[in-house]
Amino acid sequence: MDYSITIQTRLQIEKRKWLFLVGLVALTHLFCQSLMLPYGNALLSLLPNEKNNVVMTTSRLSKDSSVETLILDNSNLDDESLLVRGVKSMKSYNVGTDVEDEKGATEKDEEENMNSDLDIDDDGFDFIEDETLGKANVDMEDGFIMTNDSLSLANGSSEALLDSGTSEMLEKTITGASATLSNISANKPLLIESIVQRKSESEVSTSDGSSRNISSLPIKPVKKKMRCQMPPKTITLINEMEQILARNRARSRAMRPRWSSERDQEILTARLKIESAPVLKNDQELYAPLFRNISMFKRSYELMERVLKIYVYKEGEKPIFHQPILKGLYASEGWFMKLMESNKRFVVKDPRKAHLFYMPFSSRMLEYKVYVRNSHNRTNLRQYLKDYSEKIAAKYRFWNRTGGADHFLVACHDWAPYETRHHMEHCIKALCNADVTVGFKIGRDVSLPETYVRSARNPLRDLGGKPPSQRHILAFYAGNMHGYLRPILLKHWKDNEPDMKIFGPMPPGVASKMNYIQHMKSSRYCICPKGYEVNSPRIVEAIFYECVPVIISDNFVPPFFEVLNWDAFSVIIAEKDIPNLKNILVSIPEQKYLDMQLGVRKVQRHFLWHVKPVKYDLFHMTLHSIWYNRVFQIKAR
């Protein structure tokens, strides 16, 4: 009996010793881990939770290059909330508060200079010529991917991403095989997939094991890779856009007005008349194949002329407000502003009589005047427009009635989708950058044609082209290598086929510009690939010179998509089909080409600016699409 009790007592003592030893080891582990982990949370490192699992590894990729890679992986991070602000070794950087891939205005200006105006006698106009704004010298890109061409990582391309909301300082130190991150806010998610530093040959470890101070190591420059230099992650095909348009027509997203207005009732009455428009088969003014529904379009246009009234806000100071740019790549927003503010048919002085409200600002001048060069931050541009919208909301009651749903803007700069996001989200946006992946709403927003105007005095100069029988060039393209797509086009087709005139940038000079125009006038098809953004002025240029446009730009909503049938006068192909471009074009039957070329000549009138607006021209087509989308998006009280 006593013997059994003694054994039990000894077992209990041994058990307690083991428990004490295990506990001591665990506490030691937790203490050590808390010193080593970047967030000081050792307990989470012991849990197999995917949401909280943070893994830090250090690997040497090659003996010669002595490259250390620090990887922090968190599978629960949201890609859209992350930002790269340039991570450089041995320095601290302030991480900004904005997430958007920016496009350098300098490159766009270079393209303008290449195709700048041929005459110099445009004097006496109260407008700004875009060329006079000079170089913005913007070295953009809020977000970029850090790459090193000399490295070939087993797991694919390297990325460095920092959360856009983090405003703390980042200091990186890499010594031998160890890596330390300090001064990082623990309140924001962080994903760093690679921070790479290469040692010079003189700093490789010596035979006795010693090495030189890492702080003196030279850093190999890294290349920036922007969103606009990579293919889109998602693709919306043209037939899918058709489905989205039909769906949005049936289900409006507009805010229900806070109080009723007789103007709303007038629009609702117009909608009923448009939907019950008498069927038209042949019309003396319009070419029916160009339109989705010529009967509804013509009825809507007539009602717009008869009913629509617009109030133009007087708030805002020049040059960002009320001072249009009438030349260059961004001329569309300027011409609309000029013709709208001087219009006596649609504009009313009493805002209570207005169906729509126009905010007359220039997105190009906003970038030129407000953007801080080389700051990589456009927050102040968006804040500028936010302050403006809040100002008119405080002064007038109309914005608050609909949340801005009966307000519209016309902007052609590529940054406009970002600048107007959130605070102008319910407005009707007429944008050149009509990209469904950056917030363009089909059925509410309007795809604005990007028109390169060479002469403000005569925007119709050089209009027209050769007849089909004299167009001996199958396809033509020339331009700068903006974005990822154009180099692919040249790789497959430059100097490949004699009847495919595919070039890079044309040399400067008047002769070169005239040669560019003559090529367009002499080609059957004009290739219109996207640049940094989805839109391209070559689409309107092709129509201007009566060349069938071939649009190569995934996710791009063609101009006036809600009313025009682009199959009647253009070819739209997917970016992935560039290698098969010639086969696609030569497979088009001759009669089909002749029909499309006729369609180009017929649709041309709808893409022209006039010093004094004429019926169905570009000014009226833009205004009609704004009216048309409002008619089908309005909600009754």
Side-chain angles (χ1 to χ4, degrees):
M1 186 74 174
D2 294 338
Y3 180 76
S4 62
I5 293 175
T6 302
I7 294 176
Q8 291 180 359
T9 302
R10 290 180 178 178
L11 290 175
Q12 290 177 358
I13 293 173
E14 292 295 329
K15 184 177 181 181
R16 289 174 184 175
K17 287 182 179 180
W18 279 109
L19 290 174
F20 176 79
L21 182 61
V22 171
L24 182 62
V25 172
L27 288 174
T28 304
H29 170 76
L30 292 174
F31 177 75
C32 295
Q33 285 290 87
S34 67
L35 295 178
M36 292 186 293
L37 289 180
Y39 298 109
N41 195 336
L43 184 60
L44 290 181
S45 68
L46 302 178
L47 302 177
N49 189 340
E50 292 181 359
K51 293 184 178 180
N52 298 319
N53 192 24
V54 179
V55 181
M56 182 169 67
T57 64
T58 306
S59 62
R60 185 176 300 273
L61 297 182
S62 81
K63 191 176 294 184
D64 295 333
S65 62
S66 297
V67 177
E68 275 77 36
T69 302
L70 173 67
I71 301 177
L72 292 174
D73 181 60
N74 190 330
S75 60
N76 192 41
L77 297 182
D78 183 0
D79 291 340
E80 295 181 357
S81 68
L82 302 175
L83 171 69
V84 175
R85 288 282 185 186
V87 181
K88 296 184 180 179
S89 176
M90 306 306 297
K91 292 185 180 180
S92 297
Y93 287 85
N94 188 12
V95 181
T97 59
D98 237 359
V99 174
E100 277 299 314
D101 292 314
E102 299 181 349
K103 185 193 83 160
T106 300
E107 291 84 356
K108 273 263 186 175
D109 288 339
E110 289 175 354
E111 188 167 351
E112 289 187 40
N113 292 336
M114 181 189 74
N115 297 312
S116 60
D117 188 19
L118 299 181
D119 57 352
I120 55 174
D121 59 351
D122 289 336
D123 302 322
F125 285 83
D126 182 21
F127 63 85
I128 293 178
E129 296 183 3
D130 197 14
E131 288 80 0
T132 66
L133 300 181
K135 303 289 186 188
N137 192 26
V138 183
D139 136 66
M140 302 278 84
E141 285 63 68
D142 276 332
F144 59 84
I145 294 177
M146 302 178 66
T147 63
N148 191 328
D149 292 340
S150 63
L151 301 179
S152 178
L153 301 182
N155 293 329
S157 62
S158 302
E159 296 181 358
L161 297 174
L162 293 179
D163 177 81
S164 62
T166 305
S167 59
E168 308 261 345
M169 305 295 287
L170 172 64
E171 183 177 349
K172 177 174 71 72
T173 305
I174 302 179
T175 305
S178 65
T180 302
L181 287 175
S182 61
N183 297 332
I184 303 176
S185 171
N187 297 323
K188 298 290 182 178
L190 174 67
L191 167 61
I192 301 181
E193 288 188 332
S194 78
I195 302 173
V196 181
Q197 179 178 355
R198 176 184 293 273
K199 295 181 181 178
S200 65
E201 293 180 0
S202 62
E203 292 164 329
V204 178
S205 298
T206 60
S207 58
D208 60 357
S210 62
S211 61
R212 296 176 183 262
N213 191 344
I214 193 72
S215 62
S216 63
L217 297 180
I219 302 172
K220 185 175 176 116
V222 295
K223 294 182 179 180
K224 302 176 184 177
K225 199 167 186 181
M226 298 93 61
R227 178 187 62 84
C228 58
Q229 291 179 330
M230 298 180 292
K233 294 181 179 178
T234 61
I235 297 176
T236 303
L237 301 177
I238 193 71
N239 60 330
E240 295 175 306
M241 295 180 186
E242 305 273 358
Q243 298 171 5
I244 294 173
L245 177 62
R247 186 166 62 248
N248 290 347
R249 278 283 179 264
R251 185 182 60 217
S252 170
R253 295 182 178 181
M255 171 183 169
R256 194 176 300 278
R258 292 177 178 169
W259 62 86
S260 60
S261 167
E262 58 181 295
R263 305 286 88 81
D264 292 346
Q265 190 57 49
E266 290 172 354
I267 294 179
L268 290 169
T269 301
R271 176 173 178 170
L272 293 175
K273 292 180 179 179
I274 294 171
E275 292 175 331
S276 60
V279 177
L280 293 176
K281 294 183 178 180
N282 295 311
D283 187 85
Q284 296 180 351
E285 290 185 295
L286 300 171
Y287 185 58
L290 299 179
F291 299 92
R292 293 177 176 275
N293 188 319
I294 188 174
S295 304
M296 291 180 65
F297 171 79
K298 185 156 188 179
R299 185 65 170 141
S300 175
Y301 191 96
E302 292 171 350
L303 289 169
M304 177 190 74
E305 290 184 314
R306 186 190 313 167
V307 175
L308 179 60
K309 299 301 177 186
I310 296 171
Y311 181 76
V312 180
Y313 283 110
K314 303 299 187 291
E315 285 69 26
E317 298 181 357
K318 294 182 178 181
I320 295 175
F321 292 86
H322 312 292
Q323 189 162 324
I325 298 173
L326 300 183
K327 291 179 65 176
L329 283 173
Y330 309 103
S332 288
E333 65 180 22
W335 275 93
F336 184 88
M337 183 191 301
K338 174 182 182 293
L339 299 176
M340 188 77 262
E341 292 198 302
S342 62
N343 191 279
K344 296 181 179 179
R345 181 170 197 167
F346 298 106
V347 176
V348 292
K349 296 181 179 180
D350 185 356
R352 293 171 297 180
K353 298 180 180 179
H355 303 90
L356 291 169
F357 298 82
Y358 173 44
M359 298 174 288
F361 70 90
S362 166
S363 59
R364 174 65 172 105
M365 286 306 303
L366 178 66
E367 173 267 328
Y368 180 69
K369 285 293 184 180
V370 179
Y371 178 75
V372 179
R373 296 184 182 183
N374 301 319
S375 67
H376 313 292
N377 194 325
R378 295 171 293 167
T379 308
N380 56 338
L381 282 73
R382 184 164 65 182
Q383 185 63 42
Y384 190 94
L385 291 183
K386 183 176 185 291
D387 293 342
Y388 167 76
S389 62
E390 290 175 348
K391 179 179 180 180
I392 63 175
K395 185 174 181 179
Y396 302 91
R397 63 191 184 118
F398 308 103
W399 177 283
N400 296 326
R401 189 182 79 89
T402 63
D406 53 0
H407 288 57
F408 71 92
L409 58 95
V410 178
C412 200
H413 197 278
D414 289 343
W415 296 354
Y418 170 78
E419 296 162 354
T420 59
R421 188 172 299 172
H422 303 312
H423 53 280
M424 294 182 175
E425 195 58 34
H426 298 294
C427 301
I428 302 171
K429 303 176 185 180
L431 304 172
C432 289
N433 189 4
D435 186 345
V436 295
T437 66
V438 294
F440 185 90
K441 300 296 189 298
I442 299 175
R444 184 200 68 186
D445 297 334
V446 175
S447 179
L448 179 69
E450 183 176 13
T451 57
Y452 187 93
V453 177
R454 289 180 167 81
S455 171
R457 186 184 298 276
N458 180 19
L460 304 182
R461 191 183 63 188
D462 296 326
L463 179 67
K466 295 181 179 180
S469 60
Q470 298 179 25
R471 292 179 176 264
H472 304 300
I473 301 173
L474 175 64
F476 167 69
Y477 169 79
N480 290 333
M481 293 295 98
H482 295 161
Y484 66 88
L485 188 67
R486 296 180 184 180
I488 297 175
L489 177 67
L490 263 66
K491 175 184 176 182
H492 286 280
W493 297 109
K494 185 177 185 296
D495 301 326
N496 193 355
E497 298 284 345
D499 56 349
M500 299 274 286
K501 305 297 183 181
I502 308 297
F503 308 110
M506 300 191 78
V510 174
S512 177
K513 294 163 190 170
M514 293 305 300
N515 187 30
Y516 176 87
I517 293 173
Q518 289 304 315
H519 269 81
M520 277 203 154
K521 288 176 176 282
S522 305
S523 299
R524 293 165 68 90
Y525 299 98
C526 289
I527 312 302
C528 307
K530 66 179 291 185
Y532 287 120
E533 304 296 342
V534 294
N535 48 301
S536 169
R538 285 173 179 79
I539 297 173
V540 178
E541 277 187 327
I543 295 173
F544 197 86
Y545 300 123
E546 299 176 1
C547 178
V548 175
V550 179
I551 302 174
I552 310 177
S553 179
D554 292 343
N555 299 316
F556 176 58
V557 182
F560 309 136
F561 183 68
E562 55 281 328
V563 294
L564 291 183
N565 172 28
W566 279 80
D567 288 339
F569 57 93
S570 72
V571 179
I572 300 177
I573 71 171
E575 295 176 9
K576 65 180 179 61
D577 292 330
I578 284 181
N580 200 33
L581 177 59
K582 183 172 182 179
N583 290 337
I584 293 173
L585 297 181
V586 298
S587 67
I588 297 174
E590 181 67 15
Q591 187 57 49
K592 173 64 175 176
Y593 164 74
L594 294 175
D595 291 341
M596 287 192 295
Q597 209 274 335
L598 174 62
V600 169
R601 299 201 307 272
K602 294 292 186 179
V603 83
Q604 187 183 73
R605 63 184 295 196
H606 304 305
F607 286 86
L608 302 178
W609 294 111
H610 298 271
V611 176
K612 292 183 179 180
V614 299
K615 193 172 185 178
Y616 298 124
D617 69 352
L618 186 45
F619 168 73
H620 286 100
M621 288 294 291
T622 303
L623 186 59
H624 173 266
S625 282
I626 294 168
W627 149 266
Y628 194 75
N629 285 353
R630 175 58 179 163
V631 165
F632 284 95
Q633 287 287 301
I634 191 172
K635 283 186 176 180
R637 173 66 180 166

